[in-house]
Amino acid sequence: MRGMTSIVQTVAGLVAGMLFLYGCYITLHGHLTPGGGFAGGVIVAASFILMSLAFGSVEDSERSSYRFSSFFESLGGLLFLGVGLVGYFAGYAFLNNLWAMVGRPLHLVSGGIIPLANIAIGLKVGAGLWAIFLALGASQYVMKEGP
Amino acid sequence: MIPFLVCVLLFLFGLYAIVVKRNLIKMIIGFCFMEYAVNLFFAFAGFKREALAPIITDPDMARNFVDPLPQALVLTAIVIGLATTALMLALAMRIYAKYKTFDITEIRRLKG
Amino acid sequence: MDRLVPLFVVLPLAGAFLVPLLAKLWRGLTDITANLVGAVLVGLSVYGLVHLATGSPAVVYKMGGWMPPLGITLVYDSLSALVVLITNLVGFPALLFSVRYLDKFTGRWRYYTLFMLLLAGMNGVAISGDMFNMFVFIEIAAIASYALVAFGTEAEELEAGFKYMVMGEIGGLAILFSIAMLYAKTSTLNMADMSQVLARMGQTPWFWLVLGPMLVGFAIKMAMVPFHSWLPDAHLSAPAPVSAMLSGVFIKVLGVYAMVRVVFNVFGLARATAPAFFNMLVGFGLVSIIAGGLLAITQKNYKRLLAYSTVSQVGYILLGFGIGNHWAIVGALFHMLAHAVTKGLLFLASRSVERQTGSREIGTIGGLEKSMPITAWSYILGSMSLAGVPPFAGFFSKLFIILGAVAAKMYWVAILAALFSTVTLGYLLKVINSVFFSRKGVEPTPAKESPPMMLLAMVMLVVLAFAFGVGFKPVLDWVVRPAAEVLFSGLAYARMVLGG
């Protein structure tokens, strides 16, 4: 992919870091404020996509990003299953909440497994969307490798 | 009643695009229209006049809320829609690489 | 068993996410993981059946510990047990077959991930007790199947995948639309709770208006005749194990099972209360049988022939549910089981032929019985079961459906069903004669037998088809009859799930 002009590159460089942090914030505070794993993951992926669009990429970096994203996507899925199985192996139902049933307002560490599940979903959605972007946008590499 | 009719209209636009248009990308856009119409319909279903939202029990407060469940469900449906749209676009791209065209009338190698 | 129910979904999902990670370590690990998951699922479903058959009550699993009308429930009753058994009994041999099938592809882990998602989705549909949850599982299985159909990424496969995807997604949207209307009216998503609310409302015009789009959606998924056009292309283009899954399981779980569950247990319809609806099912079933059978006879390509044959056989299942008395429904459920096993077998065997000879056309190959005896005989035995030759499973299922038709005094239906059973035999004999036995003037095609893993998968399915036929009495008493009871009891499902 080719990059864009230096105006776009400067602005993207300024914004992308904040966008990434904002996505992390929304993911982590999913049990307290509107948003959650999915919305946060999308914003995190948007920061990656912004950088990639502004600065362009070469095939090598696309290849490594693709590996990286598919690894984290699987990891996110496994983490979510693991979070679900915590309640299962503790002797309750699948996806049962363990410590506190409700989140206390303004307390980040509350709500039992809900924040953990949000983090796992955020990881999966962010990596998944980034992978979709790579597969659709950077298809030169993906198509060359074949199915 | 009017919001629901708008949903139906949107749905018909999408159906029109899928049935009439010959370009794969336009068909996918039509498909997105249909999906948004159904999602919009579901989101509208959360509001009922003079009804209480299920989770909040205080009747005075509950009258100011709409049912939050359809919104959560629509979010799920949107995620599913994202997956299908991405897969459709990927298929369309691969088809273009093989057939060198987006025209559905020329993509007819299968007979029957 | 009470605690094992979520594993039907959790295990294949875990497999799906583990496979890409393990593929980085060693390629063979992906095969081992996927097949291990398949084998464990077979074990679990058999264990579940034994658990239910020994008199234990159906399991209602509360996800996250929330009580039924509020939370999401998984319901594992006899009908779900039957469907889960069908899914996994075909899924495991298909996975075994895949090991060598994938030699010509590079993306082994992608295939297994999608296949595991397909299994997770279908198991999920079978055990879900919640409308929206069922829709989500339907979509998981459907999206995985679209990607699997186009897996070869050749021109024809992509075309078939796109065609299938457009039709399948319209069906999915119709189901979602129907669920939205149901939620707007009943304010609940739990199937049991919903059925009680619907029973209080009665059969108003609104009731049929909601059922309509949903039935269209399920009809597209099950390839009922006006909506069947995606099926032959998709089955022709998909990898053979996926064709076996699609034809044997996918259309039955996502189409027939979901429809039957909704119609009988949620909407509470029965032959006595809604005769017009059931007559319509009989009509569509007959149209499917006739159109599918006639189209199958004219085909030159033996995989496409099998695909049209699937349309015809699904017609039998629909017919059975449409007749709606005891024997017909037992026969329809039995036919789901028998057809899944035999059609899976036939698709695997035809892939084995295609792999060793490189041809899909009937006229171009012949005399394979000498060079590939195991493939040939599994194909022949599978055809006999499908066409309804005793003592195979397919004979008893069709017999029960025809008995049901006679008991319901639908003599013409019984005669047509019996007649088209011989048509089935006809088109299958055409394949057997020209492909497997040598004719005068046609040299036997030189070929070697397939690798042992593929043969093992086929032999497993042959044994199953034979065992279900010879041992039809225990299968009937322990597996099929309890499942039919769930359908007959209709709204008792709600009392069972909600307790009390």
Side-chain angles (χ1 to χ4, degrees):
Chain A
M1 249 182 299
R2 284 186 302 119
M4 292 185 181
T5 60
S6 60
I7 300 172
V8 179
Q9 291 188 350
T10 313
V11 175
L14 286 172
V15 172
M18 284 189 272
L19 209 54
F20 182 81
L21 273 181
Y22 185 56
C24 293
Y25 161 79
I26 287 189
T27 309
L28 289 177
H29 289 70
H31 54 304
L32 303 174
T33 54
F38 183 75
V42 171
I43 294 171
V44 168
S47 75
F48 280 88
I49 292 171
L50 180 65
M51 287 301 267
S52 171
L53 282 178
F55 290 93
S57 54
V58 288
E59 196 179 309
D60 278 348
S61 72
E62 279 166 13
R63 191 187 299 269
S64 60
S65 308
Y66 197 68
R67 293 230 177 98
F68 162 88
S69 60
S70 76
F71 173 79
F72 274 100
E73 196 188 353
S74 304
L75 197 70
L78 280 179
L79 268 179
F80 184 75
L81 273 181
V83 167
L85 285 174
V86 166
Y88 185 74
F89 284 122
Y92 307 106
F94 183 69
L95 275 178
N96 214 340
N97 207 338
L98 277 189
W99 301 291
M101 287 305 277
V102 285
R104 280 177 299 154
L106 304 182
H107 280 76
L108 188 58
V109 185
S110 66
I113 63 168
I114 298 172
L116 297 178
N118 267 329
I119 291 170
I121 294 171
L123 208 58
K124 173 142 182 74
V125 171
L129 267 182
W130 175 225
I132 288 175
F133 170 76
L134 285 172
L136 291 180
S139 60
Q140 300 309 321
Y141 152 63
V142 179
M143 279 212 182
K144 231 181 278 172
E145 201 201 28
Chain B
M1 204 59 212
I2 289 171
F4 297 111
L5 289 180
V6 171
C7 290
V8 172
L9 207 63
L10 206 57
F11 191 86
L12 291 180
F13 275 144
L15 200 62
Y16 168 81
I18 286 185
V19 174
V20 177
K21 291 291 173 190
R22 303 197 316 189
N23 189 313
L24 287 188
I25 301 294
K26 286 182 184 164
M27 283 173 72
I28 293 171
I29 293 172
F31 178 74
C32 289
F33 265 91
M34 285 169 68
E35 197 182 290
Y36 296 152
V38 175
N39 286 344
L40 204 57
F41 179 81
F42 212 155
F44 283 149
F47 173 73
K48 280 184 207 160
R49 207 171 290 280
E50 296 299 312
L52 298 183
I55 293 174
I56 294 155
T57 43
D58 180 13
D60 292 334
M61 217 176 142
R63 211 149 269 151
N64 294 326
F65 283 80
V66 295
D67 186 356
L69 190 60
Q71 300 173 7
L73 301 178
V74 164
L75 191 62
T76 314
I78 288 173
V79 177
I80 293 170
L82 168 79
T84 52
T85 313
L87 184 57
M88 270 191 178
L89 283 171
L91 282 179
M93 267 170 57
R94 285 296 182 100
I95 287 176
Y96 186 79
K98 294 280 179 198
Y99 289 86
K100 304 287 176 222
T101 176
F102 278 128
D103 191 340
I104 194 83
T105 51
E106 288 171 30
I107 304 171
R108 287 209 179 278
R109 228 171 269 183
L110 286 165
K111 46 201 178 296
Chain C
M1 193 64 214
D2 289 8
R3 289 181 51 73
L4 296 181
V5 168
L7 291 187
F8 284 121
V9 182
V10 171
L11 270 182
L13 269 187
F17 298 133
L18 268 176
V19 161
L21 295 180
L22 293 176
K24 305 248 184 322
L25 298 178
W26 179 46
R27 210 185 59 164
L29 269 180
T30 57
D31 295 327
I32 296 170
T33 318
N35 282 294
L36 201 65
V37 169
V40 172
L41 283 176
V42 171
L44 261 181
S45 42
V46 171
Y47 174 73
L49 260 183
V50 172
H51 179 83
L52 288 182
T54 47
S56 315
V59 180
V60 179
Y61 192 87
K62 302 165 192 72
M63 293 279 273
W66 295 88
M67 292 316 283
L70 291 180
I72 292 171
T73 50
L74 302 179
V75 180
Y76 185 79
D77 57 9
S78 302
L79 181 61
S80 303
L82 173 68
V83 174
V84 166
L85 181 79
I86 293 173
T87 311
N88 296 319
L89 272 189
V90 182
F92 180 49
L95 277 169
L96 270 183
F97 195 88
S98 304
V99 174
R100 293 306 301 275
Y101 180 82
L102 289 173
D103 287 350
K104 64 169 184 168
F105 294 116
T106 51
R108 194 171 274 261
W109 60 271
R110 289 194 179 92
Y111 176 88
Y112 281 128
T113 302
L114 289 170
F115 203 101
M116 290 284 117
L117 285 178
L118 184 66
L119 273 182
M122 288 191 300
N123 281 337
V125 172
I127 60 176
S128 174
D130 182 278
M131 272 317 226
F132 194 77
N133 211 17
M134 191 169 90
F135 167 74
V136 172
F137 281 124
I138 285 178
E139 287 295 300
I140 289 174
I143 292 173
S145 76
Y146 308 141
L148 280 171
V149 166
F151 189 75
T153 62
E154 291 303 321
E156 290 85 4
E157 286 149 0
L158 292 168
E159 186 188 332
F162 195 83
K163 196 172 168 185
Y164 173 30
M165 185 153 187
V166 169
M167 286 204 71
E169 277 310 301
I170 290 176
L173 283 180
I175 296 171
L176 180 62
F177 181 65
S178 217
I179 291 174
M181 287 210 280
L182 272 174
Y183 182 77
K185 204 72 177 176
T186 62
S187 296
T188 178
L189 284 169
N190 190 294
M191 286 191 199
D193 201 22
M194 190 181 272
S195 75
Q196 290 189 333
V197 177
L198 284 173
R200 279 198 294 276
M201 285 182 179
Q203 293 181 11
T204 52
W206 176 86
F207 181 93
W208 298 107
L209 184 73
V210 172
L211 194 55
M214 196 172 255
L215 287 179
V216 170
F218 291 140
I220 290 176
K221 301 274 183 207
M222 80 170 87
M224 205 171 78
V225 147
F227 309 108
H228 70 288
S229 62
W230 62 268
L231 185 136
D233 292 343
H235 284 35
L236 186 69
S237 311
V242 178
S243 299
M245 282 305 272
L246 277 183
S247 175
V249 186
F250 184 85
I251 56 175
K252 299 201 189 66
V253 177
L254 266 68
V256 178
Y257 164 78
M259 183 196 81
V260 165
R261 177 68 97 187
V262 168
V263 164
F264 281 85
N265 289 136
V266 177
F267 282 81
L269 297 178
R271 179 98 212 166
T273 54
F277 174 77
F278 281 83
N279 285 333
M280 194 189 78
L281 276 190
V282 169
F284 277 117
L286 278 180
V287 170
S288 293
I289 291 172
I290 293 168
L294 293 181
L295 282 167
I297 291 180
T298 59
Q299 298 303 317
K300 285 273 186 296
N301 179 319
Y302 52 77
K303 266 182 112 175
R304 195 180 276 273
L305 184 146
L306 287 181
Y308 278 113
S309 152
T310 299
V311 175
S312 165
Q313 302 300 319
V314 168
Y316 276 101
I317 298 174
L318 263 184
L319 178 69
F321 285 120
I323 293 168
N325 56 16
H326 177 264
W327 280 109
I329 285 185
V330 164
L333 290 171
F334 206 120
H335 200 59
M336 276 167 79
L337 186 62
H339 179 246
V341 171
T342 52
K343 194 47 78 65
L345 167 65
L346 290 183
F347 269 110
L348 295 186
S350 36
R351 169 60 205 175
S352 167
V353 171
E354 189 195 331
R355 177 192 153 100
Q356 304 301 339
T357 62
S359 172
R360 285 174 170 181
E361 301 297 316
I362 285 175
T364 54
I365 42 179
L368 290 179
E369 193 259 336
K370 293 278 187 305
S371 49
M372 307 170 66
I374 301 181
T375 305
W377 280 103
S378 32
Y379 194 98
I380 292 166
L381 295 179
S383 319
M384 282 161 75
S385 170
L386 191 65
V389 175
F392 288 97
F395 168 70
F396 293 103
S397 55
K398 282 186 184 166
L399 180 71
F400 295 150
I401 292 175
I402 292 168
L403 274 181
V406 171
K409 301 209 167 28
M410 297 180 179
Y411 298 112
W412 281 107
V413 173
I415 290 170
L416 270 177
L419 189 71
F420 271 82
S421 165
T422 59
V423 171
T424 311
L425 190 62
Y427 56 71
L428 289 169
L429 272 181
K430 182 175 117 180
V431 179
I432 292 171
N433 263 332
S434 59
V435 174
F436 294 111
F437 292 119
S438 39
R439 288 162 299 166
K440 269 183 205 157
V442 179
E443 285 294 304
T445 314
K448 284 207 294 280
E449 189 60 276
S450 293
M453 284 286 257
M454 291 188 167
L455 296 181
L456 178 66
M458 289 188 275
V459 170
M460 271 170 71
L461 287 173
V462 172
V463 169
L464 282 178
F466 190 68
F468 288 147
V470 173
F472 78 97
K473 190 80 173 58
V475 174
L476 199 63
D477 288 344
W478 292 342
V479 183
V480 179
R481 277 230 176 87
E485 276 313 308
V486 173
L487 291 180
F488 280 119
S489 58
L491 296 177
Y493 171 80
R495 286 194 291 282
M496 185 270 291
V497 172
L498 297 174

